[in-house]
Structures are given as structure tokens and as C-alpha cells.
Amino acid sequence: MELRKPVIDMSDYNRAARLYWLAATSVGALALCWSIVVVLCAANNLLGIASLMAVVFLAGLRPIRIPGTITSITPGDIFIFLSALMWGPPAAVLVAATDAFAGSYRTSRRWTSRIGSPALMTISILISAECFSFGDRWLKEHRLDSTATLIGTLLLFSLAHFLLNSLLTSGLYALKQQKRLISLWWSNYCWASLTSLASASAAGLVYLSITQYGLSALLAAAPLVAIVFATSHYYFKQADERAKASERISEVHLATVEALATAINAKDEITHDHVYRVRVYATGLARHFGLGEPEIEALRAGALLHDVGKIAVPDYILNKPGKLSAAEFEKMKIHTVVGAQIMERVNFPYPVVPIVRHHHERWDGRGYPDGKAGDQIPLTARILTVVDCFDAVREDRQYRKGMTRDQACAFLSENAGTQFDPAVVRAFLENLSVYEREIAEHKAAAQPAFAAGRQAGLSESAAHAVPAAGLEQAASDPPEYIKQIHAAHVEVASLYEMAQHLSARLEVSDVIALTVSRIERMLPFTDCVFYMRRERDDSAFAAFAFGKNAESIKGRSLGAGRGIAGWVIINGRPMCNTDAMLDLNEFLGDPECASRTAAVYPLTNGDKTIGALALYSAEVEAYSSAQLHLLESVSRLASTALQHAMLFEQTKANTSCDGLTGLPTGPALYARFDQQLGEAKGRNEPVVVLCLGLEGLRAVNESYGYQAGDRVLTEAAGVLRNLVGDTGLLGRVAGDEFICVLRNCEPGEAAKLGEILRNEIDCLSVEARPEEYARVRLRYSVQECKEGQTVDDLLHAIAVAARKGRTTQKLHSAGVEPTESRMVS
């Protein structure tokens, strides 16, 4: 349910402005009530006063707005002064309040203005009219009254009324906008003194005519007043149209600059919202420090253009996810100099170049490009440095997570006096809530943010909104050309970064994880699957799967040539924008998991296809040609990296694992053995080593050959591995020798395990020849790890104990004889 705004909406009023408005309206209401009572009690000339109020109300509905200001004029001032001359201050108050209400009702939709404006007018006209009345009586008492003194006093009356009314009104706007009172009054009201004096002169002439010729003179003066104001209305309308035309040309210029700058900023993930927020922060601080309009306009342009020099910085540096190297940082620094050189060619009428060149200088002098420090840095550049950094650190980037508001404020405070001007930081944090409220109002209004300039017919809030240069799009829907430019630069940077990282990745899982992380940033998908080709049957095995249905897909297989992935692996050619369910029907039973389209590219090793990279999407109807081109590039990079990773893992497996038994051996065994000992000592757990040896293997080799001996060794190792399981670390030392490290185990428990292993091996028989079986027996010994023993010490003690027969358990051994032949039923 949408909430209705209150009748008296003061959401954009700060505390001081609210108190000022309440005080003014209260005093104005009292003055108006007093005037009504006095007029009614006198009961004279009620018809004349009512007639003037009606005329003033109708005239006030057609105010003449002065181009370039927030003020407007009506013929009402003439009748206000005339009523003061004819009937005194109370009548003038009623006419003035009517005129102010009619004018504000026409120019603003907010009741704060419709009530506040008549109240301020009532106060000013009552004070000035009473002073005029007192002066007029004094002149008459001293017999100094004449036409000249009347006109002179009337002119002083109009000047006093003008000063009071304009200063009271300017005071309210100055509190609201946190501007200087005098500068606001001078830019919007100083010229209006002439119209006030002219109105007073006209009122004096009409009054003198009435005293000489009666009320008929009023009928003669009315057309003259109407003609003067009609002419003024036409003139100001033409001037306003010329101002708008000039403003539109300026807007086109600024919009062109913004479009070009935004296209460049798209390389560096700079958004429209970021630029607008920086403008609001910067211009607010500029007003806080009392900077002039040229500096404020320079900051508005600088917020957009300060990074234009990044056109000279390579994309891979701008979008690098990690820390820049020294050489890359030096390359990044040149964007300030290049940007300043570009801005010098534009020849802006305000000082933009110093902002662009020095916005990366530091307060302590350690910035770039010129190493300026402290007050040597232009104030505008110091302001932009603070506000740009504050907003930039709050936005998410591909290489970091954005800070919260409190974290960003703390970051500014911590670096004030080193990186940032402490005075600027202090002023910014004190006024941050004001700036954020202004940004929130702009976003809620969703209004176009054009360059500075006030237009006739705008509401009060719109007339005071801080604008931006060029039409600003909503942050959630950037222009299509920005999307295309940004996508192109992200593609190049991502592929460069991917190639750079893949060259250092040796594990297959690392290669897959990095590839998928880059695909996620560039291409949409519901599921991403890496199929590997099985040599024995050419099937497509889903070795890695990521996405919504990863658990249902991973580990499943497509038969040779089946589905899209199976066809791609067999034929070595990509297949794109086809029905994804040709693959996923094999794995997914739930129709809600259906995907619309698939893009599958082969992973190759020379002329041989080793697998396939598949993207399945439930959201995308079809991948575009640009997306498919990108996926093809990714698959080529992944293919090369996978070749190296698979070769590395194969070599690593050959050197660290026994080819027959699959058990760790050599350096890998010692490393894992050492790790187990270290972890056990850290937890103060006992460690026992079970030394195992096969008796009779040599006899099997001599009787049946080495192939039969290898089969016996493999089967025996499999039995040992299955029985030991997760209770210990089993490895092959050499020949027929094995060791098993048991953590948190007592020697007696290890001996029991040795007995179990021995019994199982004694029952093992392996067919060496048709109907002939070979058997071996197991011997074991138990050695407890003592305090301070290293891996080498322990293994040496086991070897010595085995040779000399000193073991903690009885050494079990048996002669090795080939079994006799028997028939197999």
C-alpha cells in the first residue's frame, strides 16, 4: 500500500529551516489575524479592500518568472502600496497576503511555500507599512506634507518592504540549502528592488490622481498597468526561451562529453550512480568551503572526467583482480597526466585541468604525478580525492568486496592527515547525511539530471535540485552501448588474466576451478560441466560439474556418441544452441530442472579430443555469436592448461605411488609418514608402526615367473589395504616390505591387527597357471615410536629389530613353498 505524503511536507528541511519556517508562519498568522480584526472593526471601505484583494488574486495567478532566478513578479505590489496609502497598514497586509498566496499557489505545489510565502510577506508589509504610516503622520503634524515628501516616503516604504521580504525569504532558502545569505540574496533578489521602486512610484501617481479626480482615475490607470506587465511578461518569456535554448546547447555539449567519458569509464567499471553521487558530494563541499560557481562547475565536470586519461592504460591493468606490480602501477599513474593533457585541448571555461591532474596527490606528498603536499594541492582536487575515494571503496569490484558506509567513513578518518586533507574529511563526514538525503530524493524522483539552470514552471524542490551534466540513466539499466563496451573490455581482460593464471596452475582441479570462475563473470549458465573422455569405451564422463544440478550430474556418463557432449567428444567439433535435454535427460528426472539451450566445445590435446566443456542454461534462449566466440577462446585456453595439468599429475603419480599396488612409496611415503608423526605428537597420541613382509614371494617368482609374482603382490596389497582402511597409513617400502603407521594405538592393539592381517594373507591364493595356485605368508613386527625419535630413527630401529630378531611381539614366519596342483571344479 502506497503511503500518502503529508500535507505539510518538510522532508527536505533541516532542523534550522524548520524552526525558521514555524516561527515565521506563527508571527505571520498573528499579524494577519490582527489585520482582519482591525479591518472588520472599522467596517469602513470593506468593499474597496475586497475589490483590491480580488484583483490582486487574479493578477497573482499569472506571475512573471524572472529567467535565471527563483523569483517572480506580479502587479500586486502596486495595489499593496495603494491600499496602504488609502486605508492604512491592516488593509495593506490583507492585500499583500492575498497576492503572496496566489503567486505561491501558482508556482509551487507544496503547502510549505503556499503558507510560508504569505506569512513572510505579511511580516514585511506590516512592519514597513507601520513605519510608513508613522512617517506620514509625523510629516502632517509638522506641516511638511507635500507631493514630493509623499513620493519620497512611499519610495522608502517600498525599499524597506523589499529588503525585509527578500531577506526573510533568502534566509529560509539559505538555511535549507546551507548557502550564504548574502550571495543567495544577491544572485536572486537584488535586481527586484527596481521593480519595487517602480511599483511604489506607480501607486503614488495613482493615489494622487484619485485624490484629484476621484476613483475614475483608477479606471484610467488600470489599462496602463496591464500594458506594462503584459509587455514585461512577453519580454521575460522571450528571454526565458533564449536562456533555455542556450541551456539546451550547453546540455548537448555536456551530454556529448559525458557519453564519451562514460564509454571510457566503462573499461573500469565506473557507474552512472557513482558519478552522480561524487558530483553531489563534491559540489556540497565546494559550497561548504565558499568556493565560487567556476570551481563548483569545475567539480561537476571533474567528477565525470577525472579518469578520462585511463584510455591510455591497458585493459588488463584496469581490470586486474589482484595487486598491481610496480611496473603496472607506473603505467596506471600516467592516466592523470594524459587526462590533464586531454582536458587542456577542450578549453573549459572553468578550472577542470588542475582537478584531473592532481586528484591522486596525497596530503603527505607521497601521491602522483607531481608529489604535491598540503595546501600546494588545489582545494578542488583535494575535495574530489576524498569524495571519489569514499564512494569508490563502497562499490563492489571484481577484485574486492565493497565497504559498508561505516567502514568507508572509518577509512577516511584513519587516513586524514596522510592521504586526505583532514579539514575536507571532517567537513565531508559532518555533512554526509545531508548529501545522502539529497541523493535519495533524486533517486526517488527519478528525474533527468541535466546541467545547472532553473526553468519556468518548475516546483520549488525541482528548482533547487542539484543537477548533473547530461541525461542520467537509472543505475539498474545502463545504456546498451555501455553494456557492449564494458563486456568487450571485460572479455579481453578476463581472457588475458585467465591465460596468465592458467600458465601457473598445475593441478587439474585448479585449472577447472579457475576456468569456471572466469566463465561465471562472462557468460550465463545454469550448469557448467567438464566431460572427460574415457579411453576404454570413448564415453563422456562428467568429471566436474558446477551449478544448480551439479550433484545430479557429477560422476555420471554418456555413452560413446550419445547426447551432445558424446557427439562433440567423438567428432571433435562444437555444437551450440541445441536442446540441452539431449544430455540432461540422461541425468535429471525432474522436469522442473529442464534447461533450454546448450553450448558444448571440445577440449583437445593436439589432434585428439580429451573431453568437452558444456554450458547448459535454463534462462538463455540461445547464446549470441559473441558469447560463443568467447566460449571457444575459453575452451582453447582450458585445453592447453588441462594438457599440462594432466601430464604433471601423471608424472607426479608415477613418482609418488607404486605402479603395482597403488600405495605411496619413496619421498611421498616419507612425507606423509612425517606428517602423521608430527600430528600425533602435537596431540600427544601414541604412534605404533606395524612392519609387514611377505614370505615366499621370491619362490613364486622363481617357480611361476615375475608376472605371477606381481599378481600375488598386487592381490596381497589389496587385502592389506582393505583391512587397514582408515585406521592407519599403509605404504610399500621396497620389494615385499610394507609399513603401516597407526595413530592413537597401543602395541597390543597393533599386534592384534597384525594377527588379522597374517591370517587373511595365509588364506590368500592366486592362480599362477591354469589350475595351479600360489600362496605366501605374512610376517609382522611392532615398533612403538619413542619420544624424540624422527622418521629415520624409527625406520632404522625397525630394520635393526627385524635383523636381530628383537621385536615386541613374536616374529611369525613360514617357509615358502609353491602349492601343489589341483583341479578346479
Side-chain angles (χ1 to χ4, degrees), residues 445-498:
Q447 59 186 355
F450 285 105
R454 298 178 176 88
Q455 302 176 25
L458 290 180
S459 67
E460 178 187 355
S461 58
H464 292 86
V466 175
L471 181 62
E472 177 172 321
Q473 303 291 332
S476 59
D477 188 24
E480 187 62 30
Y481 74 94
I482 296 297
K483 295 180 182 178
Q484 296 293 339
I485 294 171
H486 181 64
H489 288 292
V490 168
E491 174 184 336
V492 173
S494 297
L495 290 176
Y496 174 85
E497 179 194 349
M498 182 177 174

Side-chain angles (χ1 to χ4, degrees), residues 7-184:
V7 176
I8 306 299
D9 181 16
M10 305 185 75
S11 58
D12 59 337
Y13 282 57
N14 54 38
R15 183 182 179 131
R18 292 183 183 187
L19 292 175
Y20 186 96
W21 185 89
L22 289 173
T25 52
S26 300
V27 174
L30 291 175
L32 183 63
C33 292
W34 175 83
S35 301
I36 293 174
V37 170
V38 171
V39 169
L40 292 178
C41 290
N44 295 325
N45 304 306
L46 290 178
L47 180 60
I49 295 173
S51 299
L52 277 185
M53 291 173 62
V55 171
V56 164
F57 181 81
L58 294 175
L61 293 177
R62 297 289 294 176
I64 302 172
R65 184 175 290 277
I66 309 305
T69 70
I70 59 174
T71 58
S72 57
I73 60 174
T74 67
D77 283 353
I78 297 176
F79 300 105
I80 294 171
F81 298 138
L82 187 60
S83 61
L85 286 168
M86 295 177 64
W87 302 305
V93 167
L94 295 181
V95 175
T98 303
D99 178 57
F101 177 78
S104 60
Y105 187 86
R106 183 69 175 178
T107 58
S108 176
R109 296 182 179 180
R110 299 181 62 180
W111 282 97
T112 49
S113 294
R114 294 175 178 179
I115 296 174
S117 182
L120 296 175
M121 176 69 85
T122 299
I123 296 171
S124 64
I125 199 66
L126 179 60
I127 295 174
S128 57
E130 286 290 347
C131 292
F132 169 72
S133 179
F134 174 80
D136 186 55
R137 288 195 302 271
W138 185 87
L139 291 173
K140 289 180 179 178
E141 289 174 0
H142 292 77
R143 301 183 181 278
L144 297 175
D145 56 317
S146 64
T147 301
T149 56
L150 175 66
I151 297 299
T153 308
L154 187 59
L155 292 177
L156 291 174
F157 168 33
S158 67
L159 188 60
H161 163 61
F162 160 74
L163 289 174
L164 280 172
N165 188 44
S166 60
L167 287 173
L168 287 172
T169 306
S170 298
L172 178 61
Y173 285 123
L175 290 174
K176 278 181 60 179
Q177 301 172 19
Q178 294 186 332
K179 293 182 177 180
R180 291 186 175 184
L181 172 63
I182 298 303
S183 61
L184 184 66

